[in-house]
Amino acid sequence: MLLSKKTLSSQRIKELNAFAKGISIKFSNLNLLQLAFTHRSYSNEGHAVKHENNERLEFLGDSVLGMATAAYLYGHFMDNPEGDLAKIKSFVVSEQSLGPIGLRIGIDKMLILGKGEEMSGGRTKRAILADAVEAVIGAYYLDAGYKAAEKLVLSFMIPEIEKFISSSGAKDYKSMLQEAHQKKYKTVPVYELVKETGPDHERTFWVSVHLKNATYGPECGKSKKEAEQNAAKKAWLELSSGE
């Protein structure tokens, strides 16, 4: 393992441990975390051996990030088509999202840069910060395994997913209702197709949703999914207004 035998100063050990604590993780091998912060400009200037930088960890972390995010979206947005999930994932794992995350968790202060990159403002460059976030994920995956790395990824991604959905106005009321109801009652909402109206080429579906102590609807839609979403929206809004 690169840097596995490198001796870190006591000051750097304190800095690395403080960073890890700040994002609620702990490293057994701090040299992995050190490597995650080492930009190629540093090794290219001869301060480290060739390839002793965070690019390989970034490659690994990118895959862990993508897998954990995709699995979360698949499990929590069950009524959204693949296109919606791909759109959300593409946004939240992008440089546009990861760069600010890196700045927020203090990666800018931890980076090890070459002199030229340092002078050109590399510590606040979005691309460098985003790459370092992925490298940290890759390092943590190697240090603690997939489940721990997945938990770290979701601590970053869930707020970004919620932010994207809120800003796009594409609220998934079925998922929101199910998550809240399951958490409170340990059961899931039950949707009932009450009736269908209209000619075959222009059917309207009417659906009610049954929760533990109440029924909401029926609400209509041009498809069963749309009617279910409308029934879930009615239930969600009424329950929210009553809290």
Side-chain angles (χ1 to χ4, degrees):
M1 184 67 62
L2 288 175
L3 287 182
S4 60
K5 296 182 180 179
K6 191 175 181 68
T7 302
L8 299 169
S9 70
S10 58
Q11 179 59 34
R12 187 59 174 175
I13 289 172
K14 287 179 182 178
E15 293 170 353
L16 292 168
N17 280 325
F19 172 84
K21 185 178 181 180
I23 54 174
S24 302
I25 63 175
K26 185 175 182 179
F27 270 81
S28 297
N29 183 0
L30 284 175
N31 287 294
L32 279 170
L33 185 55
Q34 175 80 340
L35 183 59
F37 295 131
T38 306
H39 189 254
R40 67 175 177 270
S41 62
Y42 184 79
S43 58
N44 287 347
E45 289 183 6
H47 301 296
V49 298
K50 190 177 181 182
H51 304 313
E52 198 169 78
N53 57 55
N54 65 6
E55 289 184 335
R56 285 168 55 84
L57 286 177
E58 174 201 336
F59 164 78
L60 180 60
D62 176 67
S63 294
V64 177
L65 171 66
M67 178 62 189
T69 303
Y72 177 84
L73 291 170
Y74 181 86
H76 287 76
F77 296 86
M78 292 175 286
D79 293 305
N80 291 63
E82 181 271 344
D84 285 355
L85 302 184
K87 186 186 298 183
I88 298 170
K89 177 175 176 285
S90 176
F91 177 81
V92 300
V93 303
S94 69
E95 182 181 302
Q96 183 178 349
S97 292
L98 295 178
I101 288 172
L103 204 59
R104 188 178 73 245
I105 64 178
I107 281 181
D108 55 314
K109 301 177 184 68
M110 301 298 296
L111 288 169
I112 304 169
L113 304 172
K115 191 174 294 183
E117 193 63 67
E118 184 79 70
M119 293 178 66
S120 67
R123 288 188 183 279
T124 55
K125 287 182 180 177
R126 184 174 288 178
I128 291 177
L129 290 165
D131 290 346
V133 170
E134 292 180 335
V136 168
I137 293 168
Y140 193 49
Y141 164 75
L142 292 177
D143 191 74
Y146 179 77
K147 292 304 294 183
E150 179 186 47
K151 185 177 179 181
L152 177 64
V153 167
L154 295 183
S155 74
F156 296 153
M157 290 295 102
I158 290 176
E160 295 301 313
I161 291 168
E162 292 174 348
K163 189 189 304 179
F164 177 84
I165 292 172
S166 176
S167 64
S168 66
K171 290 185 182 294
D172 182 350
Y173 286 100
K174 277 191 70 176
S175 294
M176 291 160 62
L177 184 65
Q178 175 163 320
E179 189 170 338
H181 192 66
Q182 196 165 19
K183 183 177 181 180
K184 188 171 183 179
Y185 296 112
K186 311 301 181 188
T187 61
V188 297
V190 176
Y191 294 87
E192 177 190 3
L193 178 62
V194 177
K195 63 180 178 180
E196 299 178 35
T197 59
D200 289 343
H201 68 279
E202 196 175 348
R203 302 295 281 171
T204 298
F205 299 86
W206 297 80
V207 170
S208 292
V209 58
H210 303 284
L211 303 181
K212 182 177 175 65
N213 298 315
T215 297
Y216 297 88
E219 297 296 316
C220 66
K222 294 302 181 183
S223 68
K224 289 180 183 178
K225 283 189 175 182
E226 182 182 342
E228 288 174 353
Q229 278 286 354
N230 289 334
K233 180 178 180 179
K234 181 178 179 64
W236 175 266
L237 293 177
E238 288 195 23
L239 290 169
S240 298
S241 64
E243 290 179 354

